[in-house]
Amino acid sequence: MKLTKKIVTFLCSVQQKERFNQALEAQYDRLYRLAYAWTHQACLAQDLVQETMLKALEKQGDLDNFDQFGAWLSKIMHNKFIDNLRYNRRWEWADETEVDYCLAEACNESKLIEKQTQDALHLAMGKLSFEHRQAISLSDIQGFSYQEISEITSTPIGTVMSRISRGREKLRFLLEKSHSGQRKVVPLRGR
Amino acid sequence: MSAAIEKYQIHAYIDGELAPPENKEIEQLMETDESLRNEIIQFSALKRQIKDSYQLVNIPSYQPVVDREKAGWQLPKAAVAALFIGVLIGYLSVNMPFNQAFLSAADQHQMAEQKYLIHLDSADPKKLAAALDQTEKLLVNGGPGIKVDFITNYEGVGLFDVNNSNRAQLEGLLNRFDNLTLYACKRALQRAMEKDARLQLLPQVKHDKPALDQVVERLSEGWKYIKI
């Protein structure tokens, strides 16, 4: 009897794991975008996502409600990121090739402008303090509510509001500054 | 811009976080206050720009935390395992008292679970020593079925350098126990080589995949994880 129960429990756990892994995969793109916004570098973002998924796998028993899966993963990522900032100097590395403009790449004018805009934004995001960058990315990239951000980052909701407000003000300032100093793309005239 | 409106309220309005009466108040003010209107337009555009820009990020391909193929095989495997255990218990219960048969099966299960993954990500000498001691203890005290994987990443990969001061201890363990396997993270190794081209791994060290992939694979196979 006991053995049968164990087998049934095992089979259930296999199904649960499979469901959990599918849910993880579904969240992968969102997690990566968030990690990229936080770490500012592709290789670190990849590591952060992997570490987050690994931790999620270990802690899957703690998840009470699958509806909150995205917020739960973001909280794990937040904790991993803070741990890495505190204990691991590798997060301070700067990979210049990651943030460099890809002007050498052959691309048409509109793609170049789009790329410049994207890069300028990413650079400006990188100049924000982590708290501001995190609050903005959780709100604007992930679409979390202030209440959810407050829970993910373990900060009062008033602080979240203030971080989003100040962060966006600073971001606008940095973008205006970068636009004023940026080389303009002059359309090529046909011969 | 109207002094009655705080800046954080503008952002809360854009994010849809205000209560209906506050929303209405801002919308009424926008009709007359051009600078407020411009602020809201600008920040709404910025919010959209952030979302759109990060949608364009090149996302590396997903590396499943559990191999899909393996996961797909888990249910049939579990069924086969259940059948096998049933047949085994049936056979043993005919040939020996039930308690004895059950204990043997339990013992086998316990033996099969003696798989440990030791993970080191630091070059701290104390941690290196602790990791080596832990490995030795497990191998010495474990049964014949024990398996230990020792995996390093980040600065920990230096432990497997031929010039590391712990080389003799490590090689001693490798000579004594053939159930010990060493892994160095492929990515960490590449980074370490970029910093110091003289780094040379012991020949017994495997380094064909990132540490996290190896850890995830082992965890999904039921190995016990020990982080030093």
Side-chain angles (χ1 to χ4, degrees):
Chain A
M1 188 67 184
K2 274 184 180 173
L3 191 63
T4 313
K5 200 176 169 186
K6 277 185 183 174
I7 291 167
V8 170
T9 311
F10 174 67
L11 290 172
C12 287
S13 74
V14 169
Q15 280 181 322
Q16 274 176 350
K17 274 183 188 168
E18 180 64 6
R19 188 181 167 213
F20 189 84
N21 287 331
Q22 284 170 353
L24 265 186
E25 185 174 355
Q27 290 286 332
Y28 173 72
D29 286 7
R30 296 182 76 218
L31 273 184
Y32 182 83
R33 286 191 190 100
L34 192 60
Y36 186 63
W38 290 2
T39 61
H40 207 56
Q41 294 175 54
C43 62
L44 294 186
Q46 218 172 335
D47 283 355
L48 183 59
V49 171
Q50 283 285 316
E51 286 179 21
T52 302
M53 289 190 156
L54 181 58
K55 196 73 184 171
L57 204 69
E58 283 173 29
K59 298 274 180 190
Q60 60 181 291
D62 297 352
L63 178 65
D64 301 325
N65 182 359
F66 251 98
D67 294 341
Q68 299 293 316
F69 193 55
W72 183 73
L73 281 176
S74 300
K75 184 158 183 68
I76 292 177
M77 186 182 270
H78 163 80
N79 291 339
K80 288 299 292 176
F81 187 77
I82 297 294
D83 283 352
N84 282 324
L85 277 184
R86 281 183 189 147
Y87 302 116
N88 210 328
R89 289 185 62 81
R90 79 193 176 94
W91 292 87
E92 293 169 22
W93 288 0
D95 185 349
E96 287 177 12
T97 56
E98 294 281 350
V99 293
D100 203 0
Y101 291 99
C102 300
L103 290 173
E105 192 182 325
C107 51
N108 64 33
E109 185 189 318
S110 63
K111 274 188 180 170
L112 178 60
I113 293 169
E114 188 180 79
K115 177 85 179 111
Q116 279 184 338
T117 310
Q118 189 190 353
D119 287 345
L121 181 78
H122 189 56
L123 280 173
M125 283 282 277
K127 286 177 185 168
L128 297 180
S129 71
F130 173 64
E131 288 79 11
H132 290 163
R133 188 162 73 237
Q134 186 189 42
I136 289 174
S137 56
L138 284 168
S139 167
D140 297 352
I141 301 172
Q142 299 290 75
F144 285 122
S145 68
Y146 287 4
Q147 180 62 40
E148 286 171 317
I149 297 171
S150 158
E151 284 162 16
I152 290 166
T153 58
S154 307
T155 45
I157 202 160
T159 310
V160 172
M161 292 175 99
S162 157
R163 282 177 182 173
I164 288 177
S165 168
R166 287 183 187 171
R168 284 199 193 128
E169 299 277 350
K170 172 93 175 163
L171 193 61
R172 180 174 67 171
F173 169 77
L174 289 167
L175 285 172
E176 280 170 358
K177 206 171 141 189
S178 93
H179 287 154
S180 61
Q182 201 173 63
R183 280 176 293 168
K184 285 185 181 167
V185 177
V186 181
L188 292 170
R189 288 183 184 173
R191 288 181 186 177
Chain B
M1 196 173 70
S2 171
I5 298 293
E6 297 282 347
K7 284 196 169 175
Y8 76 86
Q9 285 178 297
I10 294 174
H11 297 277
Y13 172 78
I14 291 164
D15 293 329
E17 293 279 345
L18 291 181
E22 290 175 293
N23 268 337
K24 204 173 173 185
E25 187 190 348
I26 288 197
E27 281 159 9
Q28 279 170 350
L29 281 168
M30 274 167 68
E31 286 173 13
T32 52
D33 188 337
E34 195 184 341
S35 66
L36 174 65
R37 198 162 58 236
N38 285 339
E39 283 281 280
I40 288 176
I41 289 169
Q42 276 188 23
F43 282 117
S44 298
L46 180 60
K47 182 180 170 75
R48 227 177 9 254
Q49 191 190 343
I50 293 167
K51 187 173 183 183
D52 292 348
S53 281
Y54 281 90
Q55 287 294 324
L56 297 172
V57 166
N58 289 325
I59 298 174
S61 60
Y62 174 68
Q63 295 180 343
V65 283
V66 173
D67 190 307
R68 277 177 158 272
E69 203 175 330
K70 279 183 190 167
W73 275 97
Q74 282 194 8
L75 273 171
K77 265 188 193 169
V80 171
L83 187 65
F84 174 74
I85 292 168
V87 170
L88 183 71
I89 289 175
Y91 170 78
L92 292 173
S93 62
V94 170
N95 294 287
M96 64 177 81
F98 179 76
N99 282 348
Q100 199 179 340
F102 186 78
L103 279 176
S104 300
D107 287 349
Q108 281 180 10
H109 180 66
Q110 198 178 359
M111 294 271 283
E113 277 196 340
Q114 284 196 316
K115 293 175 179 174
Y116 295 93
L117 177 67
I118 294 182
H119 180 194
L120 176 73
D121 62 1
S122 162
D124 180 349
K126 283 181 188 168
K127 287 193 173 181
L128 289 181
L132 289 169
D133 286 350
Q134 180 76 54
T135 307
E136 189 164 9
K137 269 184 201 164
L138 285 172
L139 290 164
V140 169
N141 299 325
I146 192 169
K147 283 185 180 174
V148 178
D149 276 8
F150 191 139
I151 190 158
T152 60
N153 65 338
Y154 305 142
E155 294 169 343
V157 291
L159 174 65
F160 297 152
D161 183 12
V162 291
N163 296 315
N164 189 284
S165 57
N166 298 91
R167 178 182 177 173
Q169 192 181 355
L170 207 51
E171 284 188 325
L173 285 174
L174 285 167
N175 290 335
R176 282 163 63 199
F177 304 102
D178 55 6
N179 41 1
L180 168 66
T181 314
L182 307 180
Y183 292 93
C185 171
K186 186 181 171 186
R187 278 210 292 259
L189 196 61
Q190 283 168 351
R191 287 178 191 158
M193 296 285 273
E194 281 166 16
K195 283 170 87 178
D196 182 4
R198 289 168 303 175
L199 181 72
Q200 193 186 341
L201 287 187
L202 292 167
Q204 299 94 328
V205 178
K206 295 182 179 179
H207 52 87
D208 55 340
K209 59 172 89 167
L212 283 164
D213 290 0
Q214 181 69 16
V215 172
V216 168
E217 192 179 311
R218 287 306 195 206
L219 281 177
S220 66
E221 290 167 354
W223 287 52
K224 287 178 184 166
Y225 177 68
I226 302 171
K227 176 78 191 297
I228 303 292

